[in-house]
Amino acid sequence: MQPSEAAIAPLASRSQWPSFGSLVRRPEMGSVIGLIAVFVFFSIFGGEDFLSVGGAASWLNVAAELGIIALPVGLLMIAGQLDLSVGSMVPASSMTVAIISGHFHAPIIVGVLASLGLGLVVGFVNGLLVIRTRVPSFVVTLATLFALAGLTLGLSIILTGSTSVALKSGPIAKLLLGDYIGGKFEVTLFWWIAIVAIVGYILNLSRYGNWILAVGGDSVSARNAGIPTDRLTIALYMGSGLCAAFVGLSQAILYNSAQVAAGQSFIFNSIIAVVVGGVLLTGGYGSVVGIVLGTVTFSVVNQGIFYTGFNANWASLIIGILLLLAVVMNNTFRNMALTYAARTKTRTRS
């Protein structure tokens, strides 16, 4: 009898002094191989432009925005849930700060707090609906995605008469939330690093990490063991909504305007980055390092194609192939981890 994935996930994610064999079995190993492969590919065909400071900035800026959303989405997926509503949360947050602080000229801090508050409320509603209705999170967050998009469009037309709103945020907000460092790197890179540290602590060093892995492995057993699964689910959705809202408001401040139709690409891009990073769609398995590597891999592919001289339309094909290969590799490394855990258990009993 093989151990559950929830049981081997902490083993795969938390070893402090891993051997070569345990490194190969880690959940992010597939994303390491994928990142090396795509980076070498684009370094060869993209040449000096891809390897230049400007080239690095192009994919790091994409990785920062995507990574801020992918990290909480990854935690949700490790816990066996999905959040598609981030695609509407980004423009809803952008329009909120632009309408409040741009159209109605309220202090920028008011618009920022309102945007972040909206993210928390939408996340709370998502989590509450998932645990109360027992409807799959894919359906719940898909409904929230369309409802929030319609609400954003309708209220924008009513309040401003337009689907685009200008925003002047002031020097401090610009410096902290939406500016370029050295004219190339977005300040969101530092926010991404901070969120990586926070999420890494949650998953690897706190009891909540064990709870998340356990819920993703078997939510019923986790509840029977005394884990507050409902509160944990709501908290994870609120974290996802908060991070998506942060990206939305930072985009509005960076570009000095907000658009109703922006942000839809984050729906599947965040999921792709997480899956490429070694997180299972079925939950109970994954790591923060893997999510970061998957985000960088996706961003390199997404931006690197423009430096090769190839037709940019091929980018979607490459991303599709990359996603399929990532799933295959993830399953391979997961099976290796399961086999290793079973052998270790057998040796211990012997």
Side-chain angles (χ1 to χ4, degrees):
M1 179 177 177
Q2 287 186 331
S4 66
E5 290 174 13
I8 62 104
L11 175 66
S13 300
R14 295 170 183 260
S15 56
Q16 295 180 351
W17 301 100
S19 63
F20 176 77
S22 61
L23 280 174
V24 172
R25 287 181 289 270
R26 288 185 63 86
E28 64 270 13
M29 196 59 204
S31 57
V32 171
I33 297 172
L35 177 58
I36 293 174
V38 299
F39 193 85
V40 169
F41 176 85
F42 288 110
S43 296
I44 294 172
F45 292 97
E48 295 182 358
D49 290 337
F50 174 76
L51 296 174
S52 67
V53 175
S58 69
W59 53 265
L60 279 175
N61 290 338
V62 172
E65 292 186 350
L66 179 60
I68 291 173
I69 295 178
L71 284 163
V73 168
L75 287 185
L76 271 169
M77 289 175 61
I78 292 173
Q81 306 289 344
L82 281 174
D83 187 3
L84 303 181
S85 66
V86 294
S88 290
M89 188 67 254
V90 171
S93 171
S94 295
M95 292 301 293
T96 298
V97 68
I99 291 173
I100 292 176
S101 299
H103 185 75
F104 291 111
H105 306 292
I108 187 63
I109 186 64
V110 176
V112 168
L113 291 177
S115 295
L116 295 177
L118 177 63
L120 290 172
V121 169
V122 172
F124 178 81
V125 171
N126 277 334
L128 191 64
L129 288 174
V130 168
I131 65 176
R132 290 292 176 85
T133 64
R134 303 300 175 186
V135 173
S137 58
F138 177 89
V139 177
V140 170
T141 57
L142 183 63
T144 309
L145 169 76
F146 285 105
L148 187 57
L151 187 63
T152 302
L153 176 61
L155 289 178
S156 298
I157 297 296
I158 292 173
L159 295 175
T160 69
S162 174
T163 59
S164 177
V165 179
L167 172 66
K168 291 184 178 180
S169 57
I172 297 179
K174 192 77 173 174
L175 176 65
L176 294 176
L177 298 172
D179 203 356
Y180 288 98
I181 301 169
K184 295 181 183 294
F185 297 93
E186 292 181 16
V187 71
T188 47
L189 278 167
F190 293 101
W191 289 101
W192 180 35
I193 293 171
I195 294 173
V196 168
I198 293 171
V199 175
Y201 172 80
I202 291 173
L203 189 61
N204 295 298
L205 300 176
S206 74
R207 61 178 179 176
Y208 302 106
N210 282 325
W211 289 1
I212 292 169
L213 290 161
V215 169
D218 189 336
S219 60
V220 175
S221 297
R223 187 181 299 111
N224 293 336
I227 295 176
T229 57
D230 290 350
R231 282 185 294 168
L232 181 64
T233 299
I234 291 176
L236 290 174
Y237 274 107
M238 291 178 69
S240 178
L242 180 67
C243 287
F246 178 84
V247 170
L249 70 89
S250 67
Q251 285 187 341
I253 293 173
L254 178 66
Y255 301 118
N256 300 313
S257 66
Q259 304 282 341
V260 169
Q264 296 298 317
S265 62
F266 286 105
I267 301 172
F268 293 110
N269 288 356
S270 59
I271 295 176
I272 291 172
V274 172
V275 172
V276 170
V279 177
L280 295 180
L281 288 169
T282 52
Y285 192 78
S287 69
V288 172
V289 173
I291 296 172
V292 172
L293 293 174
T295 300
V296 174
T297 302
F298 176 88
S299 301
V300 169
V301 173
N302 192 55
Q303 295 298 112
I305 192 71
F306 298 103
Y307 293 92
T308 61
F310 300 157
N311 190 329
N313 294 327
W314 292 108
S316 295
L317 174 63
I318 296 174
I319 291 173
I321 295 173
L322 177 67
L323 177 61
L324 181 60
L325 290 175
V327 172
V328 172
M329 285 193 296
N330 291 345
N331 286 333
T332 300
F333 290 120
R334 180 194 57 172
N335 290 333
M336 290 173 65
L338 284 168
T339 303
Y340 173 76
R343 289 176 180 174
T344 302
K345 188 175 180 180
T346 301
R347 290 172 185 171
T348 302
R349 288 179 176 177
S350 301

